[in-house]
Amino acid sequence: MKGLSVLLQKEWREHIRNYKVLWIPIVFIVFGILEPVTNHFLPEIMKSVGNLPEGADFTWPEFKGEEIFVSLLGQYQLIGVLVIILAFMGTISGERKNGTATLLYVRPVSFRYYFLSKWIVVNGIVLGSVWLGFMAAWYYIDALYNHVNALPVLGFIATYSIWLIFVVTVVLALSAWLPTGGAAGLAILVTLVYQVIDSLIGAYWSVSPWKLSMYASYWFNPDSELSDLWMSLCLTVILIAILVLFGIFMSRRNAAKTTV
Amino acid sequence: MKFMAELANIPWNLILPIIVLQLILMTIALIDVIRHQRTNGPFIMWIFIIVFVNLIGPILYFVFGRRQV
């Protein structure tokens, strides 16, 4: 266990030095604040910059707080996941390329701890950022819209967190397998592009990690069927475990590719 | 005077946190760029991107411009 805690400290220090512990939370918080505020002021914004024809009278949809949460999730699904992929695509492959890995591999560290330390720290940063973002959004939603009950919000955030852990695991496992560019491309393909496919032709199956972000919003709807959600959660957790094993295996196999 | 009235109309208590966070993000990126000066591409270009491209600029710098050492 001592090996793991040393590696955790190393990862944490690295992410402080490259400012990831600072800028990733700020990005998620800014999006979390922007979403409720822009939706709230949409009619006024359109009035002043929208070039609406004279006398045009739109009835703007009255948003409820729950809908703002869902639309914020939509933002995170695109920009947030992209930021996660691009920020962490080189976590292992970049280390191999710039030679940091050489300094590590000559020491008696187990690859299990090596991969797990990265997995834990990256997940910590990502989940912390997204939670902060949702908290900021929650505060604004309470102030600008209506009060949203705590329990659905927590279920919503928890479900989405499992999806985010899945994304992080995909990115890290691919980063252990491929060079940085390939890892980023394949990760975007697996998470973002496949999600579109899953939503287009995915009507035939209901259990899939890519549907978690949709199922998360079921928490706001008291009479929705949650069994698909639980099945998807189980499947996602199993996939995460398999991907972690794959990542450990690949970081061991590719150890020889490090730059000396 | 009309301008001042409009300025007072803006709900600053709602907007201010966003502005402050963006400024923090910009400052971190600028400090980093000036301290290291090792970027992918000319570093003056990155300073302009960080300062003038709102919100996305610092993100772009951290993701693509920052050369990992």
Side-chain angles (χ1 to χ4, degrees):
Chain A
M1 273 333 254
K2 191 158 180 302
L4 183 61
S5 73
V6 170
L7 282 171
L8 283 176
Q9 281 173 29
K10 175 236 166 224
E11 286 304 314
W12 182 246
R13 192 163 301 159
E14 182 182 340
H15 288 309
I16 288 176
R17 293 216 177 128
N18 61 22
Y19 300 105
K20 275 178 189 157
V21 278
L22 232 74
W23 71 264
I24 294 177
I26 291 179
V27 167
F28 278 95
I29 293 171
V30 166
F31 279 110
I33 298 177
L34 271 180
E35 193 65 22
V37 170
T38 42
N39 275 316
H40 188 256
F41 291 110
L42 194 60
E44 287 170 49
I45 294 170
M46 290 305 283
K47 211 185 290 170
S48 60
V49 295
N51 265 333
L52 290 181
E54 197 64 38
D57 197 19
F58 280 106
T59 42
W60 297 99
E62 282 283 314
F63 286 116
K64 285 178 67 190
E66 287 86 349
E67 290 165 348
I68 302 298
F69 268 119
V70 175
S71 77
L72 174 60
L73 186 138
Q75 291 275 9
Y76 283 173
Q77 253 332 61
L78 188 66
I79 303 166
V81 169
L82 210 55
V83 165
I84 292 171
I85 293 174
L86 293 175
F88 295 110
M89 59 189 178
T91 312
I92 297 173
S93 52
E95 219 167 55
R96 276 204 295 266
K97 197 169 160 241
N98 66 19
T100 318
T102 319
L103 300 174
L104 271 170
Y105 295 164
V106 294
R107 290 177 171 77
V109 289
S110 80
F111 284 96
R112 210 170 5 169
Y113 286 165
Y114 173 68
F115 188 84
L116 274 181
S117 69
K118 289 179 182 309
W119 188 78
I120 292 169
V121 171
V122 172
N123 268 319
I125 293 174
V126 166
L127 292 183
S129 314
V130 174
W131 289 340
L132 283 176
F134 275 121
M135 290 303 142
W138 199 357
Y139 178 82
Y140 272 81
I141 286 169
D142 246 21
L144 294 176
Y145 301 88
N146 51 317
H147 179 72
V148 185
N149 282 333
L151 206 60
V153 175
L154 293 181
F156 173 79
I157 296 176
T159 311
Y160 192 58
S161 299
I162 301 290
W163 158 254
L164 284 171
I165 295 175
F166 177 71
V167 172
V168 166
T169 317
V170 166
V171 174
L172 290 190
L174 290 177
S175 175
W177 179 28
L178 298 167
T180 306
L186 202 55
I188 289 173
L189 217 61
V190 168
T191 52
L192 292 175
V193 178
Y194 184 74
Q195 193 173 33
V196 178
I197 299 171
D198 197 296
S199 65
L200 282 179
I201 57 168
Y204 301 107
W205 60 89
S206 56
V207 179
S208 139
W210 290 270
K211 288 194 164 54
L212 275 182
S213 62
M214 186 184 78
Y215 288 148
S217 59
Y218 281 19
W219 287 98
F220 294 127
N221 200 350
D223 45 55
S224 51
E225 181 61 48
L226 288 181
S227 65
D228 283 346
L229 166 70
W230 292 115
M231 290 295 289
S232 297
L233 279 180
C234 290
L235 177 69
T236 312
V237 171
I238 294 168
L239 281 178
I240 289 171
I242 293 172
L243 280 168
V244 167
L245 292 177
F246 175 78
I248 294 169
F249 173 73
M250 275 303 167
S251 48
R252 184 178 295 138
R253 215 193 69 173
N254 285 343
K257 287 187 185 163
T258 178
T259 328
V260 182
Chain B
M1 272 293 99
K2 186 165 174 288
F3 178 69
M4 291 303 285
E6 266 179 27
L7 217 57
N9 259 335
I10 298 174
W12 286 111
N13 54 344
L14 294 176
I15 311 292
L16 208 58
I18 304 174
I19 298 172
V20 170
L21 283 173
Q22 284 198 15
L23 282 179
I24 294 174
L25 202 61
M26 201 176 89
T27 321
I28 301 168
L30 275 181
I31 289 173
D32 193 56
V33 117
I34 289 165
R35 260 177 56 189
H36 290 286
Q37 302 207 353
R38 269 178 308 200
T39 51
N40 298 318
F43 105 104
I44 294 293
M45 174 191 84
W46 281 111
I47 290 184
F48 280 113
I49 291 178
I50 290 166
V51 175
F52 292 113
V53 185
N54 220 340
L55 182 60
I56 309 290
I59 304 177
L60 284 178
Y61 165 67
F62 279 119
V63 171
F64 297 110
R66 193 170 193 282
R67 186 168 296 172
Q68 309 293 339
V69 270

